[in-house]
Amino acid sequence: MTGLPDVLREHNLTTEEYERIVERLGRPPNRVELGIFSAMWSEHCCYKSSKRYLSTLPTSGERVIQGQGENAGVIDLGDGIALVFKIESHNHPSFIEPFQGAATGVGGILRDIFTMGARPFAILDSLHFGNLDEPRTRYIMRGVVSGISFYGNCIGVPTVGGQTLFADCYSKIPLVNVMCAGIAGKDKIFLGKASGPGNVVIYAGSRTGRDGLHGATMASSAFDETSEERRPTVQVGDPFAEKLVMDSCLELMQRGLIEGIQDMGAAGLACSTSEMAARGGTGIRIDLSKVPRRAANLTPYEIMLSESQERMLLVVTPQHKEEVLDVFSKWGVKAVAIGIVTGDGTLVVDEGTKRVAEVPLALLIGQCPVYDRPTARPPSQARPGAVERVDISLKDAIEALVGSPNLCDKRWVFEQYDHLIGTNTVVGPGADAAVLRIKGTKKAVALCLDGNGAKAAIDPYWAAVSAVAESFLNVCCTGGKPLAITNCLNFGNPEQPSVMWQFAEATRGLKDACELLKLPVTGGNVSFYNETLGESIFPTPIVGMVGLLEDVRLVVRPGFKRAGDVVLLLGKTDPRLDGSELAGIVTGSRGKELPPVDLEAHKRLSQVLLKLGRDGLLQSAHDCSEGGIALALLKSCFVAGDGSWPGVTVSVPSDVDPVAWLFAESPSRVIVSVKQEDVRRIMRYLERQHLEHTVLGEIGGDAFRVKSGHSSLFSATVEHLWRIWASKLEELLAGESK
């Protein structure tokens, strides 16, 4: 092949990888075959740098119906009901074209869910942007939020929760992680397998164009100054077309007419054909001349690698072929038979009478490279080194925290999402976790996303443990029992030993936390090469947690409710500011250590929360994490946001620095409010469980008051603090904030 070095750079393949292909194929690949290998051997598709670490995560459990290796994970909710859920990233496309990058990220994760036989009923997103003082960051954020709301709102799936965080390192590339969950019958789960030689392969959905070419390859390489020129690698979404595809596919599933199904996501036809055949232990032959097209003169290379959206690949028996095509026709969805399942273990691609590609699936899928890349702790993550006492008044600290971009009200974001459509949402955005009822039952599902890259930049192990622990506690705060996680692991260039050390430590943290808390990992996504001009993002592991409430009537909501209720702190406070948002604001550094998580104590706290919730003894519960006790208290006051903000008076122990005690972010703590008449009963129970607890104060009045003994340390109306908290993000987006 002439100009081989340039061709390999275009396809993001190394010389060694190319030589392996030639040796095992027994000949040089043609251009179509090279494109297929480029996509399927990309980091995005074959996890070649991460596979050895991902294999250590716990994946089994008594409720797991389908774990890793399929389009989404599936867990058993009981009574014949299954929850299907997954998280994916669309970071690189969202940098190049924020609106379409984010919109098609939503479209892709929706297809991952309904291709398993589940109707999607909830979307959550974890978004990370750069400094909002920069006009381009504001442009990216507006585009991303608009893209998510456009796609989710149009297709009719509510966006019910998530997180939005900011740090300078995300200025060059944002993180757009989207999680979706859906409900299915336990006996109605469909897999992405091309089984049964002689079965028919059907293409359904939008016509194929040139959008999205090399999308998987682009997401497996770092960015440079030319990256914004890669707009052709970003797909264009049509949620109305996807709605028709979804409804028609779900009808076919209900009627039992499908043998296997997969969406044409990353790498398009190349990925869907080869993965389905590999999972089924079969082969597949397709004819590209039958593929519907929306662009003239498409080459076989372009057709195989196009990532045009809203397309599905189905396998059906010959006797069901016409019935399947009729259903698609009824819904107005283009569908055509393009091939057959074979038994020879080969991906064969023809264009009419011309053979354009022929690749053994054992080589393409089973023998993709797996690397054990070198690791080295970066100097920036060398320990020890604690945060010294910060020099700031309590008043200034409180106002700084409620006005922090990371901690301020994100209403501007989530109010653009329709979080009530479908009428399943019981607890929506802004809470520790979203809660959605399962109609026709008493059950409800709790969902949340958690992760903090700024903390992982200090210590990726403890940050990953904390992400699991915090999401676990967030679900418990609603009354839900945590069942399983999915994860999205966002990191820099894996060819850098420092990045691989961060990744190894983060996955070790996930493994340890999930094993102790007995949480299976049912799948997820790895996003490497989040780097521009050699500048990497923070290591950012994101955890998506799902839990079950057996009785939705016992849901525990955030927010103080009644004057006279008593406020308790459950858990032990370590009054150090290491890793805290306040330390970052005041000193410019969060230090070099994170508070460790005692997972046994964490599990004990969660069991206590669930017991108190089941017994109807909690008026409210709020996880105490970013911003510490102070922000948890204030957000419990802010939750109404309708001019009826309840006040609270709390006492700080006399032997501690009040700023450190109120703003430390030590883990495994929850703020709860309870009725006066239940306090004695609850305290006796907490003592029997050997759970450390503190009576903080009482709800009442309209002010947030902090005392130490008989001395007043701080007092301000909740409304005053709420206005700072509620207005900050819009000020920053308007470029008005200093």
Side-chain angles (χ1 to χ4, degrees), residues 166-179:
F166 303 89
D168 288 345
C169 68
Y170 303 111
S171 292
K172 300 298 183 183
I173 182 165
L175 299 187
V176 179
N177 295 177
V178 182
M179 176 179 169

Side-chain angles (χ1 to χ4, degrees), residues 382-406:
R383 293 191 299 266
V387 172
E388 299 295 331
R389 181 183 183 278
V390 297
D391 186 16
I392 188 172
S393 69
L394 184 55
K395 174 182 182 296
D396 289 344
I398 289 172
E399 293 189 352
L401 262 290
V402 295
S404 161
N406 286 327

